[in-house]
Amino acid sequence: MPSPHPALFAPRLALVRRVRLADLDDAGLARAAAEGHAGAPAVVWDRYAGLVRRVLCRILGPGADVDDQVQEAFLQLFREVKQLRDPGALRAFLLGITVRVARSALRRRRLRRWLRLSDGGELPELAAAEVDADAREALRRLYALLDRLDDKARLLFVLRYVEGLELTQAAEAMGVSLATAKRHLERVRARVHALASRDPLLARYLAAGEEARDG
């Protein structure tokens, strides 16, 4: 009886390799990506695309089209993964890249507004089914307020109080020391509170959110 053609086994072998990659921890997956394993990028994407998209949406604000930024973050990751000294820090490494991509997007947004190539920066309304009217309005006002901050202050505030990262994680993502992050965050928190205190609706939501996270 003739032996089956090897091509018949190709899909099954590919699936086995994919499953094994998907079972790897971050350190093993980072090593596979650094070594150029063909299946590694897809597994990294599956594992972290949701996180990257969520962080970018929260930094850039509701209504932001982040598809290009998500792809750019992963392209940079795969270009730079060989520089990762601690393979187990893949998630933190990718968060740092995501922050860089977000900062570049914010700078382009500011430039477009300055050149009057956009509609002035008003955030589009969210779908009514997503949140109630008060929450939608508070979110719009929050991001309008964040537009008044410099990029570093905005990024730190969003990572800590919107994304909910621990202070150490936010510092690592920003590429600064814990002491530096804490010092900057104290200043930006004070400024946001000062600005929000002029708006009863925004102040109520902001205070409730920070109390929940610090509690």
Side-chain angles (χ1 to χ4, degrees), residues 22 32 42-43 49 74 84 86 93 100 111 114 122 134 137 139 165 180 197 215:
V43 179
F74 280 94
L84 181 56
D86 176 10
F93 189 65
R100 290 207 316 261
L111 180 60
W114 183 72
E122 290 298 321
D134 281 352
E137 177 60 17
L139 189 63
L165 295 184
T180 297
S197 65

PDB file of all heavy atoms in Angstrom, residues 22 32 42-43 49 74 84 86 93 100 111 114 122 134 137 139 165 180 197 215:
ATOM      1  N   ALA A  22       0.864  28.509  20.958  1.00  0.00           N
ATOM      2  CA  ALA A  22      -0.158  29.157  21.765  1.00  0.00           C
ATOM      3  C   ALA A  22      -0.057  28.749  23.228  1.00  0.00           C
ATOM      4  O   ALA A  22      -0.485  29.492  24.112  1.00  0.00           O
ATOM      5  CB  ALA A  22      -1.547  28.823  21.217  1.00  0.00           C
ATOM      6  N   ALA A  32      10.477  32.710  20.412  1.00  0.00           N
ATOM      7  CA  ALA A  32      10.070  32.204  19.098  1.00  0.00           C
ATOM      8  C   ALA A  32       9.975  33.342  18.092  1.00  0.00           C
ATOM      9  O   ALA A  32      10.402  33.215  16.944  1.00  0.00           O
ATOM     10  CB  ALA A  32       8.731  31.474  19.223  1.00  0.00           C
ATOM     11  N   ALA A  42       1.359  35.496  14.606  1.00  0.00           N
ATOM     12  CA  ALA A  42      -0.087  35.286  14.714  1.00  0.00           C
ATOM     13  C   ALA A  42      -0.498  35.004  16.152  1.00  0.00           C
ATOM     14  O   ALA A  42      -1.542  35.471  16.615  1.00  0.00           O
ATOM     15  CB  ALA A  42      -0.511  34.126  13.814  1.00  0.00           C
ATOM     16  N   VAL A  43       0.336  34.263  16.891  1.00  0.00           N
ATOM     17  CA  VAL A  43       0.002  33.939  18.277  1.00  0.00           C
ATOM     18  C   VAL A  43       0.129  35.180  19.162  1.00  0.00           C
ATOM     19  O   VAL A  43      -0.699  35.412  20.040  1.00  0.00           O
ATOM     20  CB  VAL A  43       0.897  32.798  18.802  1.00  0.00           C
ATOM     21  CG1 VAL A  43       0.566  32.489  20.264  1.00  0.00           C
ATOM     22  CG2 VAL A  43       0.713  31.542  17.959  1.00  0.00           C
ATOM     23  N   ALA A  49      -3.653  41.588  20.812  1.00  0.00           N
ATOM     24  CA  ALA A  49      -4.281  42.610  19.970  1.00  0.00           C
ATOM     25  C   ALA A  49      -5.405  43.324  20.725  1.00  0.00           C
ATOM     26  O   ALA A  49      -5.574  44.548  20.591  1.00  0.00           O
ATOM     27  CB  ALA A  49      -4.817  41.992  18.681  1.00  0.00           C
ATOM     28  N   PHE A  74       2.305  46.485  16.438  1.00  0.00           N
ATOM     29  CA  PHE A  74       2.800  45.118  16.248  1.00  0.00           C
ATOM     30  C   PHE A  74       3.961  45.065  15.260  1.00  0.00           C
ATOM     31  O   PHE A  74       4.891  44.266  15.428  1.00  0.00           O
ATOM     32  CB  PHE A  74       1.664  44.196  15.822  1.00  0.00           C
ATOM     33  CG  PHE A  74       0.808  43.747  16.972  1.00  0.00           C
ATOM     34  CD1 PHE A  74      -0.339  44.440  17.305  1.00  0.00           C
ATOM     35  CD2 PHE A  74       1.170  42.653  17.740  1.00  0.00           C
ATOM     36  CE1 PHE A  74      -1.122  44.046  18.383  1.00  0.00           C
ATOM     37  CE2 PHE A  74       0.407  42.248  18.822  1.00  0.00           C
ATOM     38  CZ  PHE A  74      -0.743  42.942  19.143  1.00  0.00           C
ATOM     39  N   LEU A  84      14.658  42.701  23.142  1.00  0.00           N
ATOM     40  CA  LEU A  84      14.029  42.445  24.434  1.00  0.00           C
ATOM     41  C   LEU A  84      14.965  41.605  25.294  1.00  0.00           C
ATOM     42  O   LEU A  84      15.192  40.422  25.024  1.00  0.00           O
ATOM     43  CB  LEU A  84      12.690  41.723  24.227  1.00  0.00           C
ATOM     44  CG  LEU A  84      11.873  41.382  25.465  1.00  0.00           C
ATOM     45  CD1 LEU A  84      11.587  42.626  26.289  1.00  0.00           C
ATOM     46  CD2 LEU A  84      10.572  40.695  25.058  1.00  0.00           C
ATOM     47  N   ASP A  86      14.630  40.761  28.546  1.00  0.00           N
ATOM     48  CA  ASP A  86      13.897  39.819  29.395  1.00  0.00           C
ATOM     49  C   ASP A  86      12.696  39.318  28.609  1.00  0.00           C
ATOM     50  O   ASP A  86      11.673  39.999  28.545  1.00  0.00           O
ATOM     51  CB  ASP A  86      13.440  40.512  30.684  1.00  0.00           C
ATOM     52  CG  ASP A  86      12.592  39.598  31.563  1.00  0.00           C
ATOM     53  OD1 ASP A  86      12.515  38.381  31.272  1.00  0.00           O
ATOM     54  OD2 ASP A  86      12.016  40.095  32.553  1.00  0.00           O
ATOM     55  N   PHE A  93       6.838  45.180  27.296  1.00  0.00           N
ATOM     56  CA  PHE A  93       7.554  45.688  26.130  1.00  0.00           C
ATOM     57  C   PHE A  93       6.558  46.193  25.082  1.00  0.00           C
ATOM     58  O   PHE A  93       6.713  47.290  24.529  1.00  0.00           O
ATOM     59  CB  PHE A  93       8.422  44.574  25.553  1.00  0.00           C
ATOM     60  CG  PHE A  93       9.387  45.007  24.482  1.00  0.00           C
ATOM     61  CD1 PHE A  93      10.424  45.880  24.763  1.00  0.00           C
ATOM     62  CD2 PHE A  93       9.267  44.511  23.191  1.00  0.00           C
ATOM     63  CE1 PHE A  93      11.334  46.267  23.765  1.00  0.00           C
ATOM     64  CE2 PHE A  93      10.154  44.891  22.203  1.00  0.00           C
ATOM     65  CZ  PHE A  93      11.189  45.770  22.489  1.00  0.00           C
ATOM     66  N   ARG A 100       4.307  54.616  22.732  1.00  0.00           N
ATOM     67  CA  ARG A 100       5.030  55.407  21.740  1.00  0.00           C
ATOM     68  C   ARG A 100       4.153  55.678  20.520  1.00  0.00           C
ATOM     69  O   ARG A 100       4.128  56.784  19.979  1.00  0.00           O
ATOM     70  CB  ARG A 100       6.306  54.685  21.303  1.00  0.00           C
ATOM     71  CG  ARG A 100       7.388  54.603  22.348  1.00  0.00           C
ATOM     72  CD  ARG A 100       8.768  54.500  21.721  1.00  0.00           C
ATOM     73  NE  ARG A 100       8.836  53.568  20.616  1.00  0.00           N
ATOM     74  CZ  ARG A 100       9.286  52.310  20.702  1.00  0.00           C
ATOM     75  NH1 ARG A 100       9.662  51.825  21.874  1.00  0.00           N
ATOM     76  NH2 ARG A 100       9.339  51.550  19.640  1.00  0.00           N
ATOM     77  N   LEU A 111      -1.058  68.432  15.215  1.00  0.00           N
ATOM     78  CA  LEU A 111      -0.572  69.112  14.015  1.00  0.00           C
ATOM     79  C   LEU A 111      -1.705  69.333  13.029  1.00  0.00           C
ATOM     80  O   LEU A 111      -1.836  70.408  12.437  1.00  0.00           O
ATOM     81  CB  LEU A 111       0.545  68.287  13.360  1.00  0.00           C
ATOM     82  CG  LEU A 111       1.151  68.878  12.081  1.00  0.00           C
ATOM     83  CD1 LEU A 111       1.769  70.247  12.360  1.00  0.00           C
ATOM     84  CD2 LEU A 111       2.194  67.933  11.505  1.00  0.00           C
ATOM     85  N   TRP A 114      -3.786  72.172  14.197  1.00  0.00           N
ATOM     86  CA  TRP A 114      -3.096  73.450  14.000  1.00  0.00           C
ATOM     87  C   TRP A 114      -3.169  73.872  12.539  1.00  0.00           C
ATOM     88  O   TRP A 114      -3.313  75.045  12.212  1.00  0.00           O
ATOM     89  CB  TRP A 114      -1.641  73.306  14.424  1.00  0.00           C
ATOM     90  CG  TRP A 114      -0.879  74.583  14.325  1.00  0.00           C
ATOM     91  CD1 TRP A 114      -0.978  75.684  15.123  1.00  0.00           C
ATOM     92  CD2 TRP A 114       0.138  74.903  13.352  1.00  0.00           C
ATOM     93  NE1 TRP A 114      -0.104  76.658  14.717  1.00  0.00           N
ATOM     94  CE2 TRP A 114       0.596  76.208  13.639  1.00  0.00           C
ATOM     95  CE3 TRP A 114       0.705  74.198  12.286  1.00  0.00           C
ATOM     96  CZ2 TRP A 114       1.585  76.825  12.889  1.00  0.00           C
ATOM     97  CZ3 TRP A 114       1.696  74.821  11.537  1.00  0.00           C
ATOM     98  CH2 TRP A 114       2.117  76.118  11.844  1.00  0.00           C
ATOM     99  N   GLU A 122     -13.515  68.021  17.914  1.00  0.00           N
ATOM    100  CA  GLU A 122     -14.674  67.569  18.672  1.00  0.00           C
ATOM    101  C   GLU A 122     -14.812  66.065  18.557  1.00  0.00           C
ATOM    102  O   GLU A 122     -14.700  65.502  17.470  1.00  0.00           O
ATOM    103  CB  GLU A 122     -15.950  68.243  18.152  1.00  0.00           C
ATOM    104  CG  GLU A 122     -16.022  69.720  18.471  1.00  0.00           C
ATOM    105  CD  GLU A 122     -16.034  69.989  19.962  1.00  0.00           C
ATOM    106  OE1 GLU A 122     -16.687  69.233  20.702  1.00  0.00           O
ATOM    107  OE2 GLU A 122     -15.391  70.958  20.384  1.00  0.00           O
ATOM    108  N   ASP A 134     -25.686  60.572  30.415  1.00  0.00           N
ATOM    109  CA  ASP A 134     -24.787  61.258  31.343  1.00  0.00           C
ATOM    110  C   ASP A 134     -23.356  60.753  31.210  1.00  0.00           C
ATOM    111  O   ASP A 134     -22.399  61.528  31.195  1.00  0.00           O
ATOM    112  CB  ASP A 134     -25.264  61.073  32.787  1.00  0.00           C
ATOM    113  CG  ASP A 134     -26.416  62.002  33.136  1.00  0.00           C
ATOM    114  OD1 ASP A 134     -26.727  62.884  32.310  1.00  0.00           O
ATOM    115  OD2 ASP A 134     -26.986  61.848  34.224  1.00  0.00           O
ATOM    116  N   GLU A 137     -21.787  61.969  27.981  1.00  0.00           N
ATOM    117  CA  GLU A 137     -21.417  63.379  28.066  1.00  0.00           C
ATOM    118  C   GLU A 137     -20.188  63.572  28.949  1.00  0.00           C
ATOM    119  O   GLU A 137     -19.292  64.376  28.639  1.00  0.00           O
ATOM    120  CB  GLU A 137     -22.589  64.198  28.598  1.00  0.00           C
ATOM    121  CG  GLU A 137     -22.289  65.680  28.803  1.00  0.00           C
ATOM    122  CD  GLU A 137     -21.876  66.408  27.547  1.00  0.00           C
ATOM    123  OE1 GLU A 137     -22.113  65.887  26.429  1.00  0.00           O
ATOM    124  OE2 GLU A 137     -21.323  67.526  27.664  1.00  0.00           O
ATOM    125  N   LEU A 139     -17.807  61.411  29.414  1.00  0.00           N
ATOM    126  CA  LEU A 139     -16.652  60.924  28.658  1.00  0.00           C
ATOM    127  C   LEU A 139     -16.195  61.956  27.640  1.00  0.00           C
ATOM    128  O   LEU A 139     -14.998  62.211  27.477  1.00  0.00           O
ATOM    129  CB  LEU A 139     -17.021  59.608  27.964  1.00  0.00           C
ATOM    130  CG  LEU A 139     -15.875  58.849  27.298  1.00  0.00           C
ATOM    131  CD1 LEU A 139     -14.848  58.403  28.333  1.00  0.00           C
ATOM    132  CD2 LEU A 139     -16.406  57.638  26.538  1.00  0.00           C
ATOM    133  N   LEU A 165      -3.814  50.633  35.080  1.00  0.00           N
ATOM    134  CA  LEU A 165      -2.542  49.977  35.355  1.00  0.00           C
ATOM    135  C   LEU A 165      -2.037  50.367  36.739  1.00  0.00           C
ATOM    136  O   LEU A 165      -2.320  51.452  37.246  1.00  0.00           O
ATOM    137  CB  LEU A 165      -1.495  50.397  34.312  1.00  0.00           C
ATOM    138  CG  LEU A 165      -1.718  49.978  32.859  1.00  0.00           C
ATOM    139  CD1 LEU A 165      -0.524  50.399  32.020  1.00  0.00           C
ATOM    140  CD2 LEU A 165      -1.975  48.500  32.719  1.00  0.00           C
ATOM    141  N   THR A 180       9.744  59.116  39.124  1.00  0.00           N
ATOM    142  CA  THR A 180       9.376  60.125  38.130  1.00  0.00           C
ATOM    143  C   THR A 180       7.900  60.028  37.772  1.00  0.00           C
ATOM    144  O   THR A 180       7.196  61.044  37.690  1.00  0.00           O
ATOM    145  CB  THR A 180      10.234  59.961  36.863  1.00  0.00           C
ATOM    146  OG1 THR A 180      11.614  60.180  37.200  1.00  0.00           O
ATOM    147  CG2 THR A 180       9.816  60.951  35.788  1.00  0.00           C
ATOM    148  N   SER A 197     -13.133  70.244  38.569  1.00  0.00           N
ATOM    149  CA  SER A 197     -13.958  70.807  39.646  1.00  0.00           C
ATOM    150  C   SER A 197     -14.885  71.907  39.148  1.00  0.00           C
ATOM    151  O   SER A 197     -15.876  72.247  39.811  1.00  0.00           O
ATOM    152  CB  SER A 197     -13.053  71.361  40.754  1.00  0.00           C
ATOM    153  OG  SER A 197     -12.287  72.447  40.276  1.00  0.00           O
ATOM    154  N   GLY A 215      -9.077  52.614  46.183  1.00  0.00           N
ATOM    155  CA  GLY A 215      -9.633  52.009  47.370  1.00  0.00           C
ATOM    156  C   GLY A 215      -9.136  50.601  47.620  1.00  0.00           C
ATOM    157  O   GLY A 215      -8.491  49.992  46.825  1.00  0.00           O
TER     158      GLY A 215
END
